[in-house]
Structure formats: structure tokens, C-alpha cells
Amino acid sequence: MGNAGMDSPAIPRVLLLTPPGIGAIAVIRLQGPRADHLFKGLFHPRHRCAEEMEPDRIQYGELRDGRQMIDDVLVVPTVAGGVTPSFDICAHGGLRVVERIVLALTHAGALFVSGAEVAGSSWPASSTIERETWEALTRARTRRAVRFLLRQRSALPAELHRIAQTADAASAVAALRALLALSPGCRLLVEGATIAISGPPNAGKSTLANRLVGLQGSVVSPHPGTTLDWVAQETALAGVPMTVIDTPGYGPLTHGGKKGRSGGDLARVAVARARERSAAADLHLWVFDGSQPPPARKERVADAGVPTLLVLNKSDLGKMWTQAQVEAQRCEACIGVSAARGTNLDRLARKITQILGLDWADEGVIGLFTGRQIRVATELAGVDRKSDVPRVILRELIGEDT
Ligand SMILES: Nc1nc2c(ncn2[C@@H]2O[C@H](COP(=O)(O)OP(=O)(O)O)[C@@H](O)[C@H]2O)c(=O)[nH]1
Ligand SMILES: [Mg+2]
């Protein structure tokens, strides 16, 4: 049951149970037939009398690669599922130590299995959707994402079963469409969203980016052209993992006018690179100094395809924009804030989650959250083969193991 990717049972597997990165300890599991033979070749117990390894009895010793000691480790031998021997090696959590242990084990004949594969194959699962849930949980970056995924594990297949059993094909398709309507937001909650901040120099883009992220990442100064290249910072807004990209402003440095020392070609390249990077964003924030009239030059603000929020910053200094000037920018919405003072930022955060399709209360939300799920459901909801719907839902969308 649910052992895709873990076939060819003759080869022992190495899995990293702790997250990749530096930690106080790392736990590396070696499991599978012959794992005990392989392990004994590398492990040298401190106490000779303890050479026989017993399940659940912790042993202390050295892990060696040939003559070279790799690390002092604690080992917990277990018997997984009643048959396969398995060793949880608790080592020091430095990157190099982990790398050397994994290398020594793979050189000795074990196969390294990635975290995603482990989650998708070694947790009990009876369907593709359940495996996708485990896999997504290994990457979940916020508590809200974890809660959402844990709920989907049973709620999503249950809802799909209900739809499959709907006698009337038209209502089944309508119910699928309702699931699909929430799916872009669900996907962003699991994968994270990217927000790009653009606008003229000195509008307060970097101040706003830092406010959103909650730490001083981008350099802020009264001198136009302070941000020379795009800066990406990780944060979470309303429980949604987000990457905030602060970009250099377009303007005098790049379009005639006075050139700074870093102006001219270099600045033009930087602006082009920032545009490229922000083209893939899920949302654009266009920031202007709202206490000044809109800049005279015509800049196309709303980009085709990417939702855009107009932010009129420096509200503490007043507002010079007329309603007509706001509307001329043709953005999804407009909001006045003071990034420096922190005014109205909670409303801005709410607007952002609303535009990204994440303004639902989590309780009871059921949604498709992987590209595969969305693709299969979209096809089902669109194609005119309605008599097939229940079968495709069970076999392809839920992907029940047979
Ligand atoms: N009064 C006021 N000044 C601000 C506000 N936000 C930013 N500033 C100031 O505007 C200047 C330019 O800010 P910065 O974030 O570097 O702008 P950027 O060039 O768009 O990244 C700095 O002196 C900031 O302190 C605001 O909300 N109100
Ligand atoms: Mg800046």
C-alpha cells in the first residue's frame, strides 16, 4: 500500500528525517533489507559488549568512513513494520557532517531518497491526493498552510467522493467548479505568493517592503536611486507565505535627467532585470508618493495578466491625487498608506489577501492545491463527457490505490 518510489526492496534507503540546513542535531535513517549489514560496516560502538544491536536500545559510537571518523553518533535501531531493520542515526547537525554520513552510506550501497519522496511514500496513504498532502506538508511554511493541508487530507477526498456520488452530472460539475474557484488561493497558501513592488524613486517602496517584511532589509534613504537591484525577502501575510520583491524605481536615473554615479546603462540593466523578476509575481504593488501629484510621464501601471494594487504612500503628508487620476491607473484597487508611520498597513494586508483569493475564513474550506489536481478538475469541469465524471474523480482526481 502506498509504496510508489520505494520499490526495488533489495536496496537499503537513506533518508534525512530532519529538515535540510544547519541544526543542533540531524537524524538520518537507514532502512531496508541488508541495512544492518551495511550499517555494521561503518558503525563502531563505544562498548564492545554492545555489538549486538537490539531494537529500541540506543547505542553510542563512532561512524567511520574507512579509517576516518565522521562523527560521534547515537543510534536507535528499530524494526519498521515488523520486518525491515532500520537505524536512526542521530548526528551533529552541521551541513558537512550530514553530507559525509549520507555519502558514506550511499558509497556503501544505500540509495538516498529525498524528503518529498519519503513523505509521498513512507507515510500511510491510500490515494494520490493523500500522498500529495504529505508531500506538500514537508514544504509548508506557515501554520495556516499546515492547518489547511491537514484538513484537506480527509476533507478533500470526502468532498470529491460526495461529488462523484451526485446523481445529476450537471450539479457534480457545478460542485467541481466551486472547488476550482478557491483553488488559486489554496495553491498560493501552499506554495507561497510573490509580490513585486514598483514605482518611481523615492515613493517609499523600500520603506513599504521593509514594513511588510517586518525587518530592515532594503536600504531606505531620501536620495532617489538608493535601491540599485531587486531585493527579495521572505515573510508571511495573514498566514500566507510571501516573497516581497523590492525593485529600483524607474525615473530620472534611467530616463534622461541627472545621472547618478550608478546611473545610465547599469541602472537601465537593473530596472530591466527587476521587471523580468517581477513579471512572474502574483501581485504588483505600484507605489507612488500620494502627497505629490502623479508624475507627468505616462507609465503603464496595470500590467496585463498580473493583478495590480495602487498604493498611495506618505498619507501622513496629505493626498494630492484626484479620483480621476486614481482611476486612470486602472488598477484592481487603490489604498492610501503611510509606510513610514505604519498607517493603514493592516488594510493593505487584507486587500492583498483578498486580491490573491485568500480572504476566506479557514474553517471548513476545501480546495484543490496542486497543479495536477487543478488540471484534472478543470478538464472534468469543461469537457462534455459528463457520464464519466464519477469514474474520473475516483481514479484520476483522488487517484485511489486499487
Ligand atoms: N513622510 C513620509 N516619508 C516616507 C514615507 N515612506 C517613505 N518615506 C521617506 O521617503 C524617502 C524614500 O523612501 P524609500 O523607501 O527609500 O523610497 P524608494 O526609493 O521608493 O525605495 C525616505 O526618506 C523615507 O524615509 C511615508 O509614509 N511618509
Ligand atoms: Mg528603494
Side-chain angles (χ1 to χ4, degrees):
M1 178 186 74
N3 275 344
M6 299 291 275
D7 312 341
S8 46
I11 306 170
R13 315 275 151 151
V14 187
L15 352 155
L16 183 59
L17 298 187
T18 38
I22 300 169
I25 63 160
V27 183
I28 298 148
R29 174 173 291 177
L30 174 72
Q31 69 177 38
R34 290 202 310 113
D36 48 350
H37 175 76
L38 191 157
F39 188 67
K40 278 177 191 158
L42 302 173
F43 181 64
H44 301 262
R46 183 58 55 96
H47 304 291
R48 289 213 160 271
C49 60
E51 265 179 19
E52 264 326 299
M53 300 202 113
E54 289 169 34
D56 294 331
R57 203 171 117 194
I58 299 174
Q59 285 218 26
Y60 175 57
E62 283 183 4
L63 209 63
R64 292 193 207 145
D65 192 1
R67 287 237 189 108
Q68 249 189 359
M69 152 138 140
I70 303 176
D71 196 13
D72 263 342
V73 295
L74 287 173
V75 180
V76 189
T78 51
V79 179
V83 266
T84 348
S86 130
F87 300 91
D88 285 353
I89 306 165
C90 307
H92 292 97
L95 293 175
R96 187 75 183 122
V97 171
V98 173
E99 198 178 85
R100 286 196 63 197
I101 293 175
V102 169
L103 270 178
L105 293 169
T106 50
H107 279 162
L111 185 73
F112 183 72
V113 187
S114 74
E117 266 180 86
V118 174
S121 57
S122 63
W123 284 78
S126 56
S127 67
T128 308
I129 279 195
E130 210 179 343
R131 272 188 287 280
E132 284 170 340
T133 312
W134 294 135
E135 191 276 323
L137 272 164
T138 64
R139 292 178 292 111
R141 286 190 270 155
T142 63
R143 261 200 285 178
R144 186 179 175 190
V146 170
R147 278 198 304 264
F148 168 80
L149 286 166
L150 288 176
R151 202 166 43 242
Q152 301 318 307
R153 194 193 134 214
S154 52
L156 182 55
E159 172 65 2
L160 292 172
H161 268 277
R162 193 192 63 77
I163 297 175
Q165 280 154 18
T166 308
D168 164 25
S171 0
V173 167
L176 271 180
R177 292 207 176 121
L179 275 187
L180 278 167
L182 285 179
S183 63
C186 296
R187 192 140 187 234
L188 291 178
L189 178 56
V190 172
E191 301 297 335
T194 304
I195 303 182
I197 302 184
S198 316
N202 245 16
K205 298 181 299 299
S206 297
T207 309
L208 183 67
N210 290 339
R211 274 282 179 186
L212 289 175
V213 175
L215 50 87
Q216 186 79 17
S218 279
V219 179
V220 170
S221 95
H223 307 293
T226 302
T227 308
L228 297 177
D229 207 346
W230 58 268
V231 178
Q233 298 183 84
E234 299 293 327
T235 188
L237 272 191
V240 184
M242 277 197 205
T243 307
V244 176
I245 300 174
D246 179 21
T247 63
Y250 67 77
L253 285 176
T254 47
H255 299 272
K258 208 170 62 177
K259 283 186 180 178
R261 265 199 297 166
S262 56
D265 290 345
L266 190 57
R268 254 192 297 278
V269 170
V271 169
R273 275 171 43 119
R275 287 236 161 113
E276 229 168 76
R277 181 67 177 85
S278 39
D282 300 295
L283 173 67
H284 279 178
L285 298 188
W286 270 85
V287 182
F288 288 90
D289 178 347
S291 70
Q292 300 291 321
R297 62 189 286 271
K298 283 265 179 286
E299 175 72 15
R300 193 169 56 90
V301 165
D303 255 329
V306 185
T308 306
L309 182 52
L310 180 63
V311 181
L312 297 183
N313 189 32
K314 309 198 186 182
S315 63
D316 52 300
L317 301 179
K319 182 182 171 190
M320 286 288 278
W321 287 49
T322 63
Q323 191 55 30
Q325 287 166 330
V326 167
E327 279 163 16
Q329 301 294 343
R330 286 194 269 148
C331 295
E332 256 72 12
C334 171
I335 186 163
V337 303
S338 168
R341 300 225 178 140
T343 317
N344 235 4
L345 294 178
D346 46 350
R347 254 194 74 208
L348 174 65
R350 275 203 302 279
K351 260 275 167 278
I352 291 174
T353 47
Q354 190 188 341
I355 294 178
L356 292 176
L358 273 151
D359 55 339
W360 20 266
D362 288 8
E363 292 334 303
V365 163
I366 301 177
L368 305 159
F369 59 89
T370 69
R372 186 201 67 84
Q373 294 165 11
I374 295 169
R375 202 177 51 248
V376 177
T378 308
E379 220 172 84
L380 259 178
V383 176
D384 196 21
R385 52 167 189 188
K386 306 217 175 350
S387 57
D388 250 13
V389 168
R391 195 187 57 83
V392 180
I393 286 181
L394 300 182
R395 286 258 188 91
E396 287 180 37
L397 191 47
I398 305 181
E400 287 182 335
D401 292 349
T402 43

